[in-house]
Amino acid sequence: RSVLQFALGVMALAVLAGCAGGPMGDSLERSLEADSQLEENPPFDQVDQLDQASTATTTAGSAENDKAAAIAGEAILAYPSNGAIAPSTAGASNTGNATPSDASVSITDLDQAPEELRSYLEDLLALNLLETADEVDEADNAGAFNPNQSVTRREFARWLAAVNNRFYQDDPGQKVRLGVASDRPAFQDVGPEDPDFPYIHGLAEAGIIPSALAGNATAVNFRPDAPLTRETLVSWKVPLDIRQPLPNATIEAIQEAWGFQDAGEIDPAALRPVLADFGNGDFANIRRMFGFTTLLQPKEAVTRAEAAAALWRFGTPTEGISAQDIGRSENGSGDE
């Protein structure tokens, strides 16, 4: 049988060869060519196979794109465009043993701050209210806060106005109105072109920072990049705590109230706010920053961590608001 099939094949080839170039040969060639309609419209079972292959390829590509988008989204959340720490949904405790919030995890040197001050830093950083050190090279030291570095006068003025206005964002009567470019500068060394002009000028307009506007003819320069001293911090912060006229004060009154051995070194202009701060009891800024002490060291520079501790709460012993309160409110945790 195989011999017969072979013979028939040979005969067919001979016939084709003999008809090559003729009408019959052309007809045979056309009959053996692939059907162009089948190429353009394959049978249904082949269509299904092609569609399945195409769908698999598209799904795989979409999965890769979705994965890339998710990674990009996470990167944006972790590193906001303004360089500040992203807010956290976790409220931080006001104890020294608090677990760092999600927002503070990216701060690389938080552990360098005194343990008693870390929780204050965590709460404020979670609210996106403190920026990392201006002088840090972000490429090499991203997220460094430099908690033990001295805070400058401009930095604290910026923080003071910004934190106060965030705490009282729903109470316009308690907010500090920031300066605008058209305002006549209160200080010769801080003009409208200065990035911190709105905060510094706003605090001067409110009478918080001594200036010629408040009748202090000698306060013509602000010295924005000079370190902030302890007595200056108390002088600026306490008026925003008690929000009423400061009490009269003497060196003897300071010594009797606080027991400071160096009360005589305090600038006369700072005596009244230092005494008023004593009236805040356990909520006094001096106690929150330095704990128990018989030395104020009024001319000593304030660190960034100490400044954060002072800004953590505004108010009196009977009425006040803290960064922890704001965090709980914004995260829906309610009041204590």
Side-chain angles (χ1 to χ4, degrees):
R1 185 174 180 179
S2 59
V3 173
L4 178 60
Q5 290 176 341
F6 177 77
L8 291 174
V10 172
M11 292 175 62
L13 290 173
V15 171
L16 287 173
C19 298
M24 184 177 293
D26 293 340
S27 177
L28 286 172
E29 288 177 0
R30 286 193 300 270
S31 67
L32 295 175
E33 288 178 353
D35 192 335
S36 60
Q37 293 183 350
L38 288 178
E39 290 180 343
E40 296 175 358
N41 302 292
F44 292 114
D45 57 343
Q46 294 183 17
V47 169
D48 291 342
Q49 294 173 4
L50 291 173
D51 287 345
Q52 291 173 5
S54 175
T55 300
T57 302
T58 302
T59 301
S62 299
E64 290 297 326
N65 291 337
D66 292 344
K67 181 178 180 181
I71 293 173
E74 292 174 359
I76 292 172
L77 291 175
Y79 301 100
S81 59
N82 62 0
I85 305 303
S88 169
T89 57
S93 170
N94 63 344
T95 64
N97 298 322
T99 301
S101 65
D102 292 342
S104 62
V105 170
S106 59
I107 296 296
T108 59
D109 57 356
L110 187 62
D111 60 341
Q112 297 178 19
E115 183 179 356
E116 296 79 8
L117 304 182
R118 290 177 196 169
S119 62
Y120 304 129
L121 274 170
E122 291 164 9
D123 286 346
L124 287 167
L125 289 169
L127 295 175
N128 204 22
L129 286 173
L130 302 180
E131 75 282 353
T132 56
D134 292 341
E135 64 281 4
V136 170
D137 180 358
E138 295 183 0
D140 298 327
N141 302 291
F145 184 75
N146 293 353
N148 300 315
Q149 176 178 295
S150 60
V151 65
T152 65
R153 289 165 60 88
R154 75 159 65 245
E155 284 176 320
F156 188 74
R158 181 197 318 146
W159 292 354
L160 180 62
V163 175
N164 177 84
N165 288 1
R166 174 70 175 278
F167 281 16
Y168 296 101
Q169 60 184 348
D170 297 325
D171 189 352
Q174 302 293 344
K175 297 174 69 173
V176 174
R177 183 173 298 177
L178 303 184
V180 296
S182 59
D183 289 335
R184 182 178 180 181
F187 302 103
Q188 296 178 359
D189 55 353
V190 181
E193 72 284 352
D194 190 293
D196 292 316
F197 174 81
Y199 309 105
I200 296 169
H201 186 79
L203 290 168
E205 286 273 8
I208 303 301
I209 295 178
S211 70
L213 299 175
N216 191 333
T218 62
V220 295
N221 289 317
F222 179 69
R223 298 180 295 114
D225 298 315
L228 181 78
T229 64
R230 293 181 175 186
E231 62 183 9
T232 299
L233 181 147
V234 175
S235 297
W236 294 359
K237 175 63 166 44
V238 170
L240 288 172
D241 284 324
I242 66 173
R243 299 179 189 266
Q244 62 184 13
L246 297 172
N248 293 325
T250 62
I251 294 176
E252 292 73 23
I254 297 293
Q255 290 173 330
E256 182 178 351
W258 281 107
F260 290 149
Q261 301 176 44
D262 54 357
E265 300 177 15
I266 301 174
D267 188 283
L271 290 175
R272 296 170 66 193
V274 169
L275 183 60
D277 194 42
F278 179 80
N280 278 332
D282 291 337
F283 294 108
N285 297 282
I286 292 174
R287 287 193 174 95
R288 197 157 57 243
M289 289 188 291
F290 312 121
F292 173 77
T293 179
T294 63
L295 292 173
L296 178 59
Q297 303 180 69
K299 313 301 181 187
E300 187 74 14
V302 177
T303 69
R304 292 165 64 85
E306 291 166 349
L311 294 170
W312 182 81
R313 186 183 188 275
F314 284 72
T316 64
T318 57
E319 184 177 352
I321 187 170
S322 70
Q324 187 180 61
D325 297 330
I326 297 296
R328 286 175 174 171
S329 175
E330 293 185 352
N331 294 325
S333 300
D335 298 329
E336 290 183 301

